[in-house]
Amino acid sequence: MPLFCPALSVFIIFVTLMELSGLNIKFLPGVGEKKAAVLLEELGIQSYEDMLYHVPYKYIDRSRIYTISELTGRLPYIQVKAKIKDLKSVGTGKSQRMTAIAYDDTGTIELIWFKGFKYLPGQLAPDVEYLIFGQPSEFNHRLNIVHPEIDKFEKASPLLVGFQAIYPTTEKMKKAFLNSKAIGKIQDTIFKTIQGKISETLPAWFIQQHKFMFLHEALYNIHFPTSPEMLKEAVFRLKFEELFYIQLNILKLKYKRKTYFQGHVFQNIGTYFNTFYQQYLPFELTNAQKRVIKEIRRDCGSGKQMNRLLQGDVGSGKTLVALMCMLISLDNCCQTCLMAPTEILATQHYDTISHLLEGMNIKVALLTGSTRKKEREEIHQGLRDGSLQILIGTHALLEDVVTFQNIGLVIIDEQHRFGVAQRARLWQKNKVPPHILVMTATPIPRTLAMTLYGDLDVSVIDELPPGRKPITTLHTYDRKRMDVFQFIEKELKKGRQAYVVYPLISESEKFDFRDLEAGFEQLNNYFLPKGYKVGMVHGKMKPAEKDFEMKRFLTAETKILVSTTVIEVGVNVPNASLMVIESAERFGLSQLHQLRGRVGRGADQSYCILMTPYKISNDSRKRIETMTSTNDGFEIAEADLKLRGPGDIEGTQQSGLTCSLKIAHLGKDILILNEASRIANEILASDPELQNEQNQLFATQIKRLFKTRITWRYIS
Ligand code: ADP
Ligand code: MG
């Protein structure tokens, strides 16, 4: 970074984001080791640049000072100029709190602190004017402000007037004195320390053409808005830029893939495919399945490497599509593999597929972490000499010792469980890149998929096999548990089976684990005497134990399966017609939808019961309402997008497909996204490699932003 010299301040000094990314936040005055560690842990903030891109989630108008007589319980955050008297401690123990009276010429209002008031008496003096900031609320017909922010009026810095930015913080951050105000202070210090301008990340001609605000100005205004209009422009510029570079990158790669990457050409539809289709297919394909198979066939025959995402709601029959595509690969003398995220799923796929292929003389094998050494060696050998045609498995497929004679098609099920690096390894298993088909049941709204997954081709199975009855979803409260038990019993009497799922967000959380075990015991006590066995699976069990429990449920030896979300993806037990989800308020929408998808797979009417405490947050309530009002995965994905933004939708983040957006919100900024995409296309149409002089900055930026992502982007 250039040193600042006051005598030369007429020259504008430019600092690049690259330079700012090299400056560790811990050296910034007022931060230090401890706070820096918390920032890193909680928000992943390490450099000045990271901090500048940690943007407010809302703003509060502090341009106006209210009088106390104007206050009502319906106002948002406000500020008053007042003196403070009668500071005292009330109550003892847990209910201890501190109160005071704030007064101006027009009236009085009570201030209340429930915690953190130890130092108050030393800080507040009588007859001093303060700027008091907070949200008035009404309690017993009296107004008060809980945990107000207080500054001496004459000392109130410019930070406290005009628009004030409010930053997301966490409990840990607050404990480390990193509340929203402190973050604002840090941003302020950064701008003071830079003492120059942040250099542009978009070419000058481009900024001029689209009348964008300059980067430096935009970053400043997003933290310290100088007016509502400036704030709006700043937000637009930053959102646009963020989405634009993602689009430019994806579209550039797509172009490259389509131009340079030769794939295996699957010209033949031969004996394997046709024999299976004519003699072994257990049911008529749905129209959607037929269409998707056609799309994949066309892709694989084109001479270009296929890179396709197959979306289909839970139960839409993706496995069969996968199998038929694998047969096309065999017809073209190529091996093929199917990779699943868990051992349970891999085993299930193996069972289903070997069963479907019975009598066809095709060699299929299963490779997982628990495959025995001898068998494992045989599999490796079979893959190398080409005698083994279809391999199904888990991460074990990725090990370096696994090499194929000639792999033509890789299918990845429930892709979001796989990390980016892992997919890259699959890719490297062959000289000619295999065709890749990624299957997912996490629906992505179509507009979003087309724009955001620009480098993937997308196929959608938008039709369920015939005869499925829509699942009935109900919401009930914890205290009605006995009613729920009776309902379960009624279903069991009809010969059905039930899942009861508990949240176990991280499998190591002791607290959740107790819930799960207590739930198991309760169910066992109720149902065992009536002759119904209850089983349990969770992530802490050894794979063999899990398998054992799953098999007992699959063969209907156990009638109820208590579990964590390990059963979330893919598990198929058509006789199970009831899904009870405990603490449903703690699950995300896509997860709830996945779980519900475990039932409704047979011909019987199926039910999903969502249990929650009486009191739940507004967002939770909306999620539950969405679930009870629709079975359509795409509708649910739209709702999820609106509620949370796609960064949080399970899968999108890990899959890297959305990158993590810092400023834009894909649920709300779809119009900006479309515009960014259109403009990116326009630029690439005339300069696909971004080699023109005037596009140099685009190329540099892409390199900087996406340098670690290049290799895997080809994969999905
Ligand atoms: P998912 O898309 O969730 O992976 P599966 O492939 O597990 O769905 O299929 C769900 C169920 O539907 C399976 O029992 C499968 O045998 C059945 N199925 C698939 N395709 C059809 C079809 N065309 N007609 C009838 N049943 C089908
Ligand atoms: Mg599946």
Side-chain angles (χ1 to χ4, degrees):
M1 184 168 77
L3 280 180
F4 179 64
C5 171
L8 294 177
S9 64
V10 283
F11 298 110
I12 300 174
I13 295 169
F14 282 100
V15 185
T16 64
L17 285 180
M18 179 79 109
E19 286 165 328
L20 291 177
S21 74
L23 294 174
N24 195 318
I25 196 84
K26 75 178 170 198
F27 299 121
L28 192 76
V31 179
E33 296 274 356
K34 254 196 192 146
K35 285 183 183 168
V38 175
L39 285 170
L40 182 61
E41 195 185 318
E42 294 293 284
L43 301 173
I45 290 175
Q46 197 163 18
S47 67
Y48 285 26
E49 184 194 21
D50 297 338
M51 190 48 125
L52 285 175
Y53 279 86
H54 177 59
V55 302
Y57 71 98
K58 67 172 179 185
Y59 299 86
I60 290 168
D61 184 358
R62 296 194 77 164
S63 59
R64 161 154 192 220
I65 294 176
Y66 283 76
T67 61
I68 290 178
S69 64
E70 285 178 299
L71 301 185
T72 71
R74 265 162 292 139
L75 284 171
Y77 285 84
I78 49 81
Q79 54 191 354
V80 295
K81 180 173 142 188
K83 292 178 181 170
I84 294 176
K85 64 179 183 187
D86 297 344
L87 183 68
K88 60 174 186 264
S89 164
V90 190
T92 53
K94 268 200 171 159
S95 66
Q96 194 194 7
R97 58 195 189 276
M98 201 95 168
T99 65
I101 302 294
Y103 63 99
D104 65 8
D105 296 340
T106 69
T108 64
I109 183 166
E110 188 178 32
L111 308 178
I112 303 180
W113 295 264
F114 293 102
K115 54 183 185 192
F117 44 66
K118 214 159 72 185
Y119 301 106
L120 274 180
Q123 283 169 351
L124 299 178
D127 289 323
V128 175
E129 291 214 297
Y130 291 101
L131 192 64
I132 300 168
F133 177 78
Q135 188 170 29
S137 53
E138 209 172 310
F139 185 71
N140 278 343
H141 305 293
R142 276 176 54 190
L143 277 181
N144 60 39
I145 301 179
V146 177
H147 290 172
E149 268 178 42
I150 298 182
D151 289 279
K152 278 197 184 132
F153 185 75
E154 90 264 11
K155 262 179 63 187
S157 75
L159 273 179
L160 300 184
V161 293
F163 272 103
Q164 189 194 351
I166 306 292
Y167 296 90
T169 55
T170 64
E171 278 310 309
K172 257 199 193 147
M173 287 171 64
K174 281 179 198 151
K175 273 195 199 129
F177 304 101
L178 285 165
N179 59 11
S180 172
K181 202 167 141 189
I183 300 286
K185 189 84 187 76
I186 293 175
Q187 306 286 13
D188 186 51
T189 313
I190 291 181
F191 279 104
K192 288 196 174 115
T193 318
I194 294 175
Q195 292 195 335
K197 294 211 166 186
I198 298 163
S199 50
E200 261 313 321
T201 44
L202 291 171
W205 66 266
F206 192 71
I207 291 183
Q208 201 173 21
Q209 187 177 52
H210 298 282
K211 301 197 175 58
F212 288 130
M213 188 183 253
F214 287 115
L215 178 66
H216 183 89
E217 216 177 346
L219 279 173
Y220 187 82
N221 271 278
I222 203 158
H223 296 294
F224 307 107
T226 42
S227 74
E229 293 74 30
M230 294 289 272
L231 175 60
K232 214 168 144 189
E233 271 190 55
V235 170
F236 183 79
R237 142 93 206 218
L238 294 173
K239 281 183 173 176
F240 179 91
E241 179 174 350
E242 185 168 43
L243 296 170
F244 170 76
Y245 274 123
I246 291 172
Q247 288 300 300
L248 198 64
N249 184 50
I250 289 175
L251 293 168
K252 182 164 175 274
L253 290 171
K254 181 176 189 170
Y255 174 86
K256 198 166 172 180
R257 180 166 59 81
K258 297 242 154 159
T259 319
Y260 299 114
F261 284 169
Q262 299 297 316
H264 291 276
V265 183
F266 289 176
Q267 261 167 344
N268 312 318
I269 297 300
T271 333
Y272 287 122
F273 186 91
N274 288 329
T275 311
F276 180 78
Y277 191 75
Q278 284 152 16
Q279 295 172 27
Y280 293 90
L281 192 64
F283 24 60
E284 180 68 11
L285 293 175
T286 63
N287 284 329
Q289 284 171 320
K290 281 186 197 156
R291 175 175 38 86
V292 164
I293 291 172
K294 241 184 239 154
E295 284 167 2
I296 295 169
R297 257 173 68 175
R298 199 181 317 125
D299 229 9
C300 292
S302 72
K304 297 286 176 278
Q305 183 248 341
M306 174 175 78
N307 207 17
R308 192 170 274 278
L309 178 73
L310 173 59
Q311 289 194 54
D313 214 340
V314 277
S316 60
K318 292 186 291 294
T319 316
L320 203 56
V321 170
L323 174 59
M324 310 230 8
C325 295
M326 293 170 108
L327 295 177
I328 299 177
S329 183
L330 299 196
D331 276 336
N332 290 274
C333 304
C334 287
Q335 292 162 298
T336 172
C337 71
L338 169 61
M339 189 160 75
T342 64
E343 187 141 354
I344 294 178
L345 277 179
T347 312
Q348 190 178 290
H349 277 317
Y350 175 75
D351 291 344
T352 310
I353 287 175
S354 7
H355 183 67
L356 285 167
L357 294 181
E358 235 161 70
M360 278 199 55
N361 195 23
I362 292 176
K363 261 203 94 191
V364 189
L366 173 70
L367 181 67
T368 69
S370 43
T371 307
R372 303 222 179 271
K373 190 160 175 258
K374 180 149 174 294
E375 203 181 331
R376 189 177 283 258
E377 276 161 7
E378 276 168 27
I379 290 175
H380 292 163
Q381 182 54 39
L383 289 173
R384 272 193 301 271
D385 65 26
S387 61
L388 180 54
Q389 292 153 293
I390 297 182
L391 180 65
I392 297 169
T394 55
H395 297 77
L397 298 193
L398 298 169
E399 283 167 22
D400 290 332
V401 286
V402 180
T403 51
F404 294 83
Q405 187 194 51
N406 189 20
I407 185 158
L409 170 69
V410 172
I411 300 182
I412 305 176
D413 194 13
E414 310 294 357
Q415 112 277 5
H416 60 266
R417 298 294 166 108
F418 284 104
V420 162
Q422 293 165 331
R423 276 177 279 150
R425 291 180 66 178
L426 253 183
W427 173 261
Q428 288 153 2
K429 286 199 179 288
N430 232 35
K431 284 205 189 71
V432 181
H435 297 298
I436 308 255
L437 181 67
V438 178
M439 306 197 291
T440 177
T442 310
I444 300 127
R446 211 162 312 191
T447 42
L448 192 62
M450 301 218 321
T451 335
L452 202 68
Y453 293 51
D455 67 332
L456 284 175
D457 297 303
V458 181
S459 288
V460 182
I461 308 186
D462 49 7
E463 181 189 354
L464 293 178
R468 298 273 170 83
K469 291 200 184 75
I471 302 162
T472 304
T473 303
L474 307 161
H475 173 211
T476 186
Y477 298 114
D478 291 345
R479 49 187 165 80
K480 301 243 168 115
R481 183 165 280 107
M482 273 305 126
D483 295 356
V484 175
F485 279 20
Q486 278 161 18
F487 189 79
I488 298 178
E489 196 180 341
K490 227 171 76 193
E491 286 298 293
L492 299 189
K493 271 195 188 134
K494 289 190 220 156
R496 309 281 107 78
Q497 288 166 274
Y499 296 98
V500 180
V501 176
Y502 283 82
L504 200 55
I505 308 305
S506 114
E507 297 276 347
S508 60
E509 291 224 3
K510 282 208 186 75
F511 177 73
D512 287 344
F513 205 70
R514 270 207 310 266
D515 278 1
L516 174 79
E517 291 196 310
F520 172 71
E521 225 155 82
Q522 211 182 359
L523 282 157
N524 215 15
N525 290 342
Y526 184 94
F527 284 101
L528 197 58
K530 297 178 193 289
Y532 302 113
K533 281 191 197 153
V534 186
M536 174 160 73
V537 286
H538 55 76
K540 275 191 192 163
M541 289 161 86
K542 297 218 175 71
E545 290 176 297
K546 246 190 282 185
D547 264 15
F548 177 75
E549 279 299 332
M550 285 309 300
K551 283 216 181 85
R552 287 197 334 145
F553 189 63
L554 195 63
T555 54
E557 190 189 333
T558 47
K559 302 293 180 190
I560 301 177
L561 186 66
V562 178
S563 93
T564 60
T565 50
V566 290
I567 58 138
E568 181 187 336
V569 274
V571 173
N572 190 18
V573 182
N575 191 47
S577 63
L578 178 57
M579 165 66 61
V580 178
I581 304 177
E582 292 269 358
S583 303
E585 79 283 358
R586 291 177 56 191
F587 290 93
L589 260 179
S590 75
Q591 233 182 350
L592 288 173
H593 182 62
Q594 284 292 322
L595 285 168
R596 178 169 61 183
R598 297 307 108 217
V599 296
R601 300 184 150 240
D604 312 302
Q605 174 63 52
S606 292
Y607 301 91
C608 172
I609 300 181
L610 306 172
M611 300 187 52
T612 71
Y614 194 66
K615 259 198 166 163
I616 52 176
S617 73
N618 275 345
D619 272 5
S620 299
R621 194 164 296 280
K622 273 188 208 142
R623 287 200 294 273
I624 305 275
E625 273 165 16
T626 307
M627 287 298 292
T628 52
S629 66
T630 179
N631 271 306
D632 181 331
F634 282 97
E635 220 173 285
I636 288 169
E638 296 275 4
D640 207 10
L641 195 60
K642 285 207 188 90
L643 278 173
R644 301 200 295 169
D648 301 323
I649 289 183
E650 198 192 353
T652 48
Q653 196 131 46
Q654 295 98 302
S655 73
L657 286 164
T658 62
C659 309
S660 39
L661 290 171
K662 295 190 188 104
I663 298 173
H665 181 290
L666 285 169
K668 295 173 187 155
D669 299 325
I670 199 93
L671 289 176
I672 305 182
L673 175 66
N674 289 342
E675 182 66 3
S677 175
R678 189 186 63 77
I679 294 174
N681 254 318
E682 222 172 72
I683 290 167
L684 289 169
S686 62
D687 183 14
E689 294 282 300
L690 297 179
Q691 282 167 334
N692 292 351
E693 184 61 35
Q694 63 163 5
N695 293 333
Q696 275 321 291
L697 192 51
F698 290 143
T700 321
Q701 274 304 104
I702 286 185
K703 233 188 233 151
R704 171 162 142 71
L705 292 171
F706 304 101
K707 62 172 180 272
T708 55
R709 305 202 169 103
I710 296 289
T711 41
W712 60 261
R713 275 246 166 231
Y714 296 126
I715 292 164
S716 68

